[in-house]
Amino acid sequence: MYRSHTCGELRIENVNQKVTLSGWVQKVRKFGGMTFVDVRDRYGVTQLVFNEETQKDLCGKANGLGREYVIQVVGTVAERSNKNDKIPTGEIEILAEELTILNASEVPPFTIEDKTDGGDELRMKYRYLDLRRNPVRNNLIIRHKMGFEVRSYLNDQDFIETETPVLIKSTPEGARDFVVPSRMNPGQFYALPQSPQVFKQLLMVGGFDRYFQIVKCFRDEDLRADRQPEFTQIDCEMAFVEQDDVLNMFEGMVKHLFKTVKGVELTNAFPHMSYEDAMKYYGSDKPDTRFGMKFTELKEAFAGCGFNVLEDAEYVGGIVAQDCASYTRKQLDALTDFVKKPQVGAGGLVYIKFNEDGSVKSSVDKFFSPEQLLELGEKMGAKTGDLALILSGAKAKTQNALNELRLEMGNQLGLRNPNEFSPLWVVDFPLLEWDEDTERFHAMHHPFTSPKQEDVTLLDTDPGKVRANAYDLVINGVEIGGGSIRIHEDALQQKMFKLLGFTQEEANEQFGFLMNAFKYGAPPHGGVAFGFDRLAAMFAGIESIRDVIAFPKNNAGRDVMIDSPSPVHGDQLKELHIALTKIEK
Amino acid sequence: MYRSHTCGELRIENVNQKVTLSGWVQKVRKFGGMTFVDVRDRYGVTQLVFNEETQKDLCGKANGLGREYVIQVVGTVAERSNKNDKIPTGEIEILAEELTILNASEVPPFTIEDKTDGGDELRMKYRYLDLRRNPVRNNLIIRHKMGFEVRSYLNDQDFIETETPVLIKSTPEGARDFVVPSRMNPGQFYALPQSPQVFKQLLMVGGFDRYFQIVKCFRDEDLRADRQPEFTQIDCEMAFVEQDDVLNMFEGMVKHLFKTVKGVELTNAFPHMSYEDAMKYYGSDKPDTRFGMKFTELKEAFAGCGFNVLEDAEYVGGIVAQDCASYTRKQLDALTDFVKKPQVGAGGLVYIKFNEDGSVKSSVDKFFSPEQLLELGEKMGAKTGDLALILSGAKAKTQNALNELRLEMGNQLGLRNPNEFSPLWVVDFPLLEWDEDTERFHAMHHPFTSPKQEDVTLLDTDPGKVRANAYDLVINGVEIGGGSIRIHEDALQQKMFKLLGFTQEEANEQFGFLMNAFKYGAPPHGGVAFGFDRLAAMFAGIESIRDVIAFPKNNAGRDVMIDSPSPVHGDQLKELHIALTKIEK
């Protein structure tokens, strides 16, 4: 038996008990003829005491311990004279009687502390040491709890967790697939799933009624910051449902998670906002609704104003930053620099200060009278002491820039409290989006999303106007999940493929089995998928998904700890009927 | 709203309620001016009634329904005159008032009934229809419940479910890996994990203390019947444990599963049997202990008997079949044919009948006196009325054949009751096994398994004799899981790699990161992995794992429903820096 208790378990009630502990050496201190050793495990830290005078050999052994040595100690629990109220075991210590070194340790390349001196690259290479740090491990415990509570909720709601295959079929639609050569089927390949979309729909055709799965998915994309080639989805589907049935079910799940894992009660119904309104008022399909600062469209207000930058722009829009009329020249210059950054992309910034003294000061004073500016302020809802910020230019680009500016102002004004959660369903997404490059429509969600019944006739006349039964869950400006009511009729699905530029042959080759399934009594169905990594990061209160993943990959898709990917033996390739092509340096 | 209730929900208490149901048409019957439609969903079947006379149009519509049409019906619950006590909804029916066809169906290629007329191949091609059948869906519901209860138990025991990566590194040890070409790292490949073994050990090094995961694993093997290229493990690991800690923990888990999912209380402690005894008494490392019929070794008993088949054999062993002295010539011939089958591989069968009248009759009467045979019978524990069956030959082969014969006799005598469960821990496996082909040792479990402390010195002198801290859980002769206490010291692990024929370079290249991790304070640890598919099949009471997998592959590794694997576009291969080699026809 390696231990009778963990290192986080003993309390004042255990005084005089003989105990055995095992764990890692956190710290060794000599003080007044005594040696104190902090021994640590996942559950906590306990102080061991060795007496120089009465336990010469044992104490000498303790003095020889290095950081991260693995030890086992037998001793008696005693009350501390010098209590530490910062840790749960702080009232006691162990008077050591036996000490066994279970394993030595070299000096770790960084400190195993909440705040470590290790940089990202080093932490990833020695991830097994990084995982010993409380913040990292706690993130993964939060993730574990979330998975458990998701299952608990959905099990209570009669969902069947069903595993779908990982070795599936490549489809050129969507992002790039990872493929897997088949040894037994020469010249053929499996693909790893980008999502179990088609399989969950087939489970609905198969009468499963309510399906879910917490499942790894794969995308061979050029990795932007904070994307992983393998990621995890909470994937769900229901039969015989309309949009509101799905939203209510998963609103319940998200509330359950917040309550059980974070102790946060989200009592109100999550608001619904149309995609159109989200774009109009926030310039984003994932608005951060922890704060207002909605856009005002000002195109008409500037019609004929004589300032051609505003007059000729496709779009003019502004926001009001409360109590910011006192912004200095320097602050305003910094904001101008901010909006001009390539990632934001505005050409410039128009500001209007509505000063406390009733005066108005703007960057466009020569084009407008104070009265005109005051009128504009009124239109925007600006009050005395406020600052209006206005951008103009091409619509999509400018809305996006104004969105960035709004978020920046939210940051500057402290309106984005990480402990406040503002959930929102964004609904009524367009079914299709026009792609300028390929000059054809793409599915905004995916080709299985159903159009709104009342918009179906527009499919033939004005496909770009068709709204979908599609929805996203957004919390604090982060897209947490999304889904749709699916097409379940063969004819409509065929029409959709055609609109998306599939030939009959392509559609059959790639989705023939789904089309076939639809011929045998497919029920109406719909679902949702949540990004588990992203949701876990939000619950852990961190920005990056990397630290809610035990063994993440870097931006080049490499696992630097195991040094993967790596070359494989030629024999192996031969068996798989493939060869490397010449690699250009 | 598609439904107010499911098709399995309404009872006599609901009479006079107005309800809406949705589901599939199971059956349409006309009888005495009425049309009866059975509508089905996952939850059950409910009878709908249409009146020819008073609802002419509606009834006509009902008469036009085909099997597997998806319908929605609004109606009022009524008490049936003709009750059906075989189904929970059998006391009521729905007087239909509205009928909507949600989707039509072609005639399905096989019947959607508990016993279908569809063959395996057809069922797999139309798996989405097969999944509508109660037995298949119920198996998957059992699997879901098992997964849920595994998590529930392990969560209560402070295990952290942690996802390990799917895109890892290829290692030539073990079975063949599936590999995944990396687009971003030309000429390099990921591999799919055969198990998360190394990662779970790293989590122990990382202080996670208790880890589990229900996880997909992959093996590119030539598929024997009932193997799948992707399969699911319940994968577990614990730190600071000895063998008994692990066995007790997971014995608890298995008991919990039996109790909560099958309602079976396994109250006794699971017996432990050494590998040596398992081989000696059952000729198998996974004995079916639902019945006795243990082997008696008879080599010495036959020394100098004059019958060279028995005298010269490396091994002679026998079993006693109770009350089988009455077996006929024909039955005994059939047993002889059975043991001579190539899969069993014995040369012949010796029998001795201990007749009810006290006489003895054997196939070797000319070599032995009745007294000698009675003495032999006594040695074997045979009683009057019993039949002794004896095989001889090379040891391993003959033990195996006798094992097959024992199981066959168990079947014939009805001793293998599928509703009785006999769990057993097989322990003390050999660490290494000698491979005649390569003339070197292989790890019997895997290269990370630790030798028994008392056998460590044998590593240098007689490695084949070293016993491992390795264990298997066997239930009813099926290996359900296995594991070991791992090596946690760098030096011992290096020695092990050397014994297994790895050069220093190979060991470093493949497992350098693990060796490295062991330098920084690896705790003692061990674990176990259960074959989830196999365990689910046992709980479902079926032989094959295929019907506890929603979308299984066939013996050629193909998914015949989606027709995968399949060729991919040349562009895709080019991006991946690979080309097909010429395929020999």
Side-chain angles (χ1 to χ4, degrees), chain A residues 232-534:
Chain A
T232 306
Q233 268 183 207
I234 305 170
D235 193 53
C236 312
E237 196 80 3
M238 303 169 77
F240 299 114
V241 286
E242 290 162 340
Q243 177 165 314
D244 278 345
D245 299 317
V246 179
L247 301 195
N248 290 337
M249 177 62 71
F250 292 98
E251 187 164 319
M253 184 184 90
V254 171
K255 284 178 172 173
H256 174 83
L257 276 185
F258 268 97
K259 187 173 168 182
T260 54
V261 180
K262 284 198 79 72
V264 171
E265 295 254 15
L266 299 174
T267 42
N268 296 329
F270 294 2
H272 292 201
M273 185 186 294
S274 71
Y275 172 84
E276 203 183 338
D277 279 355
M279 296 309 294
K280 183 180 167 96
Y281 294 118
Y282 300 93
S284 167
D285 59 2
K286 38 178 197 277
D288 184 346
T289 48
R290 278 174 297 186
F291 64 107
M293 216 187 277
K294 285 190 195 175
F295 295 6
T296 307
E297 290 189 1
L298 299 169
K299 170 83 182 144
E300 282 178 23
F302 287 111
C305 71
F307 181 35
N308 63 357
V309 171
L310 296 177
E311 206 175 64
D312 300 346
E314 185 191 1
Y315 174 87
V316 186
I319 55 175
V320 173
Q322 283 181 14
D323 300 325
C324 291
S326 56
Y327 261 40
T328 61
R329 178 87 237 164
K330 198 174 159 192
Q331 282 174 302
L332 290 167
D333 284 350
L335 283 183
T336 305
D337 290 345
F338 174 84
V339 300
K340 283 178 162 176
K341 283 199 301 183
Q343 310 94 292
V344 180
L349 174 69
V350 171
Y351 69 83
I352 311 171
K353 291 177 166 189
F354 300 95
N355 294 322
E356 291 288 355
D357 62 6
S359 70
V360 186
K361 172 87 189 84
S362 86
S363 55
V364 287
D365 280 349
K366 59 178 151 173
F367 299 98
F368 301 96
S369 68
E371 290 69 31
Q372 283 176 307
L373 292 175
L374 281 168
E375 197 181 321
L376 206 64
E378 198 163 325
K379 194 182 232 3
M380 295 178 74
K383 295 191 191 64
T384 301
D386 291 350
L387 172 71
L389 300 168
I390 295 164
L391 298 180
S392 62
K395 183 167 181 180
K397 200 174 165 181
T398 306
Q399 282 185 324
N400 182 56
L402 194 55
N403 166 47
E404 295 291 341
L405 179 61
R406 173 178 174 271
L407 294 177
E408 171 62 20
M409 289 312 297
N411 287 337
Q412 292 195 10
L413 300 178
L415 301 173
R416 304 179 74 189
N417 175 1
N419 296 316
E420 185 191 332
F421 298 95
S422 179
L424 171 74
W425 288 109
V426 178
V427 298
D428 300 349
F429 277 84
L431 183 68
L432 303 163
E433 55 187 350
W434 184 254
D435 186 62
E436 294 290 347
D437 293 341
T438 56
E439 295 204 314
R440 63 184 183 94
F441 282 110
H442 282 276
M444 191 141 178
H445 273 72
H446 53 56
F448 315 110
T449 299
S450 68
K452 289 213 175 285
Q453 193 54 45
E454 59 267 38
D455 290 358
V456 163
T457 49
L458 289 172
L459 280 174
D460 296 315
T461 54
D462 193 354
K465 280 254 160 63
V466 177
R467 290 165 308 155
N469 291 310
Y471 34 82
D472 277 358
L473 178 64
V474 174
I475 303 180
N476 294 2
V478 178
E479 185 199 321
I480 290 300
S484 64
I485 299 298
R486 326 299 181 185
I487 297 169
H488 66 282
E489 303 102 327
D490 185 31
L492 185 56
Q493 186 66 68
Q494 303 254 23
K495 183 175 208 164
M496 189 68 184
F497 283 137
K498 205 170 155 192
L499 259 175
L500 295 171
F502 285 79
T503 66
Q504 182 81 44
E505 290 69 39
E506 285 167 344
N508 276 345
E509 196 191 310
Q510 288 169 39
F511 301 110
F513 57 99
L514 186 68
M515 297 299 87
N516 238 335
F518 281 3
K519 292 186 178 126
Y520 294 99
H525 60 288
V528 66
F530 295 90
F532 191 37
D533 306 297
R534 178 62 52 214

Side-chain angles (χ1 to χ4, degrees), chain B residues 430-455:
Chain B
L431 183 67
L432 302 163
E433 56 187 348
W434 183 256
D435 185 63
E436 294 292 346
D437 293 341
T438 56
E439 297 206 312
R440 63 183 183 95
F441 283 111
H442 282 275
M444 191 141 175
H445 273 74
H446 54 55
F448 315 110
T449 299
S450 69
K452 289 216 173 283
Q453 193 54 43
E454 58 268 38
D455 292 357

